Amino acid sequence: MKNGMLRSYGARFALIGIGLGALYWVFESVVDVLVFRHGYFVEVLFSPGLHEIWMRALVVVFLILFGVYAGSSVARIEEALKAERDRLKSIFTAINDGIHIVNQDYDIEYVNPVLMTDFGPYEGRKCYTYFHDREEVCPWCKNQDVFAGKTVQWEWYSFKNDKTYDLLDTPLRNADGTISKMEIFRDITQRKQAETENEHLNSVLRAIRNVNQLITREKDRDRLIKQACENLIETRGYGRAWIVLADEPDGYNTSTEAGFGESFLPMVEQLRRGELPVCCRQAMEKAGVQIFKYQTDICTGCPLVGSYDNRGAMSIRLEHGGKLYGCMSVAVPVDLVESAEEQELFQEVAGDIAFALHTIELEEKRKRTEEALAVEKERLDVTLRSIGDAVITTDTAGTITMLNKVAEELTMWSNGEACSRPLAEVFHIINEKTRKPCESPVEKVMQTGTIVGLANHTVLIARDGTERILSDSGAPIHDQAGNIIGVVLVFRDVTEARRLREYVSRAHRLETAGRIAGQIAHDFNNLLGPLVAYPDFIREELPKDHPAVELVTDMERAADQMADINQQLLTLGRRGHYNQEPMSLNDVIREVLNQRQPLPDTLAIDLDLSKDLMNMKGGPSQIHRVISNLLTNALDAMKEVGHLSIKTENFYADTMSVRFGRVPRGEYVKLTVS
């Protein structure tokens, strides 16, 4: 830069010299003509000899004045140039990017402090003697576009300091017309490393996604690990990948790889001998990711040590649910092998593969269990179908697997229809009293693992709605290993047996009650005699229009009803039957209401008595007492305020009901009091 400035100043002084010579010639001619020949000085001095003296004196004065002016101008220019140079240097020093200036002769004219920090003080040297970087010609010497006036931007990696720069080359036009090159160095090493790492991690993420998709569809263990290794290197996430599985406690016969090719064969032979490489041994012994940045330092004697292409390695054991399945190793760029995010992703994909191996193992166990169950089921079918009780077998989830012939008859489901259905759909049991569904016996057996019995008052509702009272038990079905593989229910219909027991119990109760009732009725009949006989005597003593006559009539009617009831008690005591006769329920209701007159004004009776109500067979006294009690209870509950509705109607029961005892189908008379 200084040489260029010197050349520029020399040219300027040469031009000034030429100008001064021309001015001297012009000025001398003008003075000679205007002053000395035709002017005042000729007349005054009267001496032509002084012409040259005056002439030269004036020219010298003019040149001195012009020289003083020119000198002061040059000084101002130099000061301005120096100030501009200082300002540019301060700007270049303050900029965070590196800057240097190269002329067309490849001389380094200027280097700012930032670039000196990276490359040292190399100002004044030739660029091709300093920046050749493993090349015979430096990168700047190859590109002449900047010296042609073009701006060029490009990227450059320096082996001197292991950094990558983004370079901007800008032409600078000098005063002498030549072009120098100002180069701006922006350090993008970290950005490039981040881009490289992000690109690699994205590749790993794609590999993990591919492995996850593989896991969902592949159910064969060997194909799974083979395709998993291939997916890991397909996306260029990893350079190499291999997996070894522990088939036996001390054997590693299953292994696969991707990216190694034939160089993996020696490793296969080593694994068959039960010899694990260092990376696998460390992974098996320690949890987490094991890092090997430089394999040659650790993996001495490993047949794969030369196949990693100067990459680092990561190894991890494949473990799930406390079981160790094997280990996996991959090749990773050395500068990324210690990345926490890299290790986290590797641990994630290893966990996914281990989970898939665990799932496949469980599926294989399930298939073996199902095969054993099928054999056992065939044997049980023959045995259970010959049992006299009803038998239903289910799997552990409560799905029916078999019904024997007796169970088919009780549930009204055939074995073919019931199999593969939930137990509750076929074996529909409820509590006889609450009418709520009973707890599933299969769930009780699975929870306790022992034999369980049904609760009392369990009713089975058959497919056609028929209800049967059951007595049953449930027991677990075990395989040879002792595992529960199903449940067997054994039950029988005890409806008739319970009816007979209740009949016998009722007979005993009636016999006891009859004896007591007979004794009471005999004594009560003696006391009832005057009440039946005296009303006639009283009526004869009273005038016919006496108000007490009606009261005596009511007393007589009540005494007759009491005598009728007492007669029923005597009949019960003699183990006889109630006197039943055809009767009208509507007439009994009206009679009861008449006896309760008068009713309070706060109570309204709504009667809806069917006009075509069928006659019924029964004991009028007993029915009279039942209806009277119903009305009494209703009035007490209402406190004789409100509406009391009494309705009669013909009713046909189309299904058997056990809600109020065993009521068979047929025609009935229905009374509703509300």
Side-chain angles (χ1 to χ4, degrees), residues 48-249:
L50 293 177
H51 171 271
E52 293 295 332
I53 295 173
W54 284 106
M55 180 68 183
R56 290 177 181 176
L58 289 175
V59 170
V60 169
V61 170
F62 174 78
L63 291 177
I64 290 171
L65 293 175
F66 182 79
V68 171
Y69 172 76
S72 62
S73 297
V74 170
R76 285 196 301 273
I77 291 173
E78 288 181 348
E79 290 177 0
L81 288 175
K82 183 178 182 302
E84 184 65 19
R85 284 197 303 272
D86 293 341
R87 188 174 69 86
L88 287 176
K89 283 185 178 181
S90 63
I91 292 174
F92 289 168
T93 302
I95 292 176
N96 291 328
D97 295 330
I99 298 175
H100 74 191
I101 297 176
V102 183
N103 62 23
Q104 289 183 341
D105 295 330
Y106 308 114
D107 295 320
I108 306 296
E109 295 183 345
Y110 171 77
V111 181
N112 76 339
V114 174
L115 211 56
M116 286 188 185
T117 302
D118 283 357
F119 295 105
Y122 61 94
E123 185 175 328
R125 300 179 64 175
K126 297 286 186 179
C127 64
Y128 52 79
T129 64
Y130 192 77
F131 287 103
H132 58 83
D133 280 357
R134 296 189 183 181
E135 300 179 10
E136 295 182 358
V137 182
C138 73
W140 296 284
C141 301
K142 294 180 180 179
N143 194 335
Q144 300 292 324
D145 291 341
V146 179
F147 294 120
K150 297 180 181 179
T151 299
V152 180
Q153 186 170 5
W154 53 297
E155 193 174 292
W156 173 61
Y157 174 77
S158 173
F159 288 95
K160 285 186 177 297
N161 55 10
D162 196 24
K163 289 185 178 182
T164 303
Y165 295 91
D166 183 25
L167 296 182
L168 179 64
D169 295 354
T170 304
L172 295 177
R173 189 170 297 279
N174 299 316
D176 59 356
T178 60
I179 293 179
S180 294
K181 174 169 59 177
M182 181 178 69
E183 227 157 15
I184 301 174
F185 291 67
R186 176 159 295 174
D187 187 353
I188 59 172
T189 305
Q190 292 184 353
R191 190 190 77 189
K192 293 294 291 184
Q193 289 176 348
E195 289 176 355
T196 302
E197 185 173 352
N198 287 336
E199 183 179 354
H200 173 73
L201 292 177
N202 287 333
S203 300
V204 174
L205 287 173
R206 288 196 297 273
I208 292 175
R209 181 194 62 191
N210 295 341
V211 170
N212 287 332
Q213 292 175 352
L214 170 68
I215 289 172
T216 60
R217 66 175 186 272
E218 185 55 66
K219 304 304 178 185
D220 181 84
R221 186 195 67 171
D222 294 343
R223 288 200 300 267
L224 171 71
I225 61 173
K226 176 63 177 174
Q227 294 180 32
C229 288
E230 292 173 351
N231 284 331
L232 291 177
I233 70 168
E234 251 179 17
T235 61
R236 302 186 182 277
Y238 300 112
R240 308 280 189 274
W242 62 286
I243 294 175
V244 57
L245 299 183
D247 297 330
E248 301 172 1

Side-chain angles (χ1 to χ4, degrees), residues 133 264 359 399 448 549 632:
D133 280 357
F264 193 75
T359 303
T399 302
T448 62
V549 173
T632 300

Side-chain angles (χ1 to χ4, degrees), residues 360-377:
I360 291 173
E361 183 181 52
L362 292 181
E363 181 66 18
E364 291 175 351
K365 287 184 178 179
R366 185 187 66 82
K367 289 180 179 179
R368 290 194 296 269
T369 303
E370 287 181 351
E371 291 172 358
L373 180 61
V375 174
E376 186 69 15
K377 179 178 178 296

